[in-house]
């Protein structure tokens, strides 16, 4: 529920980063650098696949330059 609310307020990328990072840590993954890299890269790649490749607009930040 919090992910949906945050996506509507501040866009897709930041809440998705927080979700992936939180989920990895919740599952017990302790290699923090890899978890952070994964949490940043995956949502950005998903965003660009949907936005540029498929033409589906995901919510962006109100202050976004993308």
């Amino acid at each position: 529920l919090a992910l949906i609310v945050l996506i509507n307020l501040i866009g897709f990328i930041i809440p998705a980063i927080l979700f992936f990072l939180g989920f990895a840590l919740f599952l017990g993954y302790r290699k923090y650098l890899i978890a952070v890299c994964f949490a940043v890269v995956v949502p950005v790649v998903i965003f660009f696949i949907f936005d540029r490749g498929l033409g589906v607009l995901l919510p962006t930040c109100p202050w976004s330059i993308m």
Side-chain angles (χ1 to χ4, degrees):
L1 182 61
L3 181 65
I4 295 169
V5 172
L6 285 175
I7 286 175
N8 288 327
L9 291 175
I10 60 175
F12 173 76
I13 293 179
I14 296 171
I17 290 170
L18 295 174
F19 173 76
F20 278 111
L21 184 60
F23 195 66
L25 297 177
F26 174 75
L27 290 177
Y29 197 76
R30 296 293 176 224
K31 295 182 181 179
Y32 298 114
L33 182 60
I34 294 173
V36 169
C37 291
F38 177 80
V40 170
V41 169
V42 170
V44 171
V45 168
I46 290 171
F47 180 82
F48 280 108
I49 287 173
F50 274 86
D51 188 50
R52 308 283 190 232
L54 299 174
V56 176
L57 298 175
L58 294 174
T60 58
C61 302
W63 59 88
S64 177
I65 59 172
M66 288 189 215

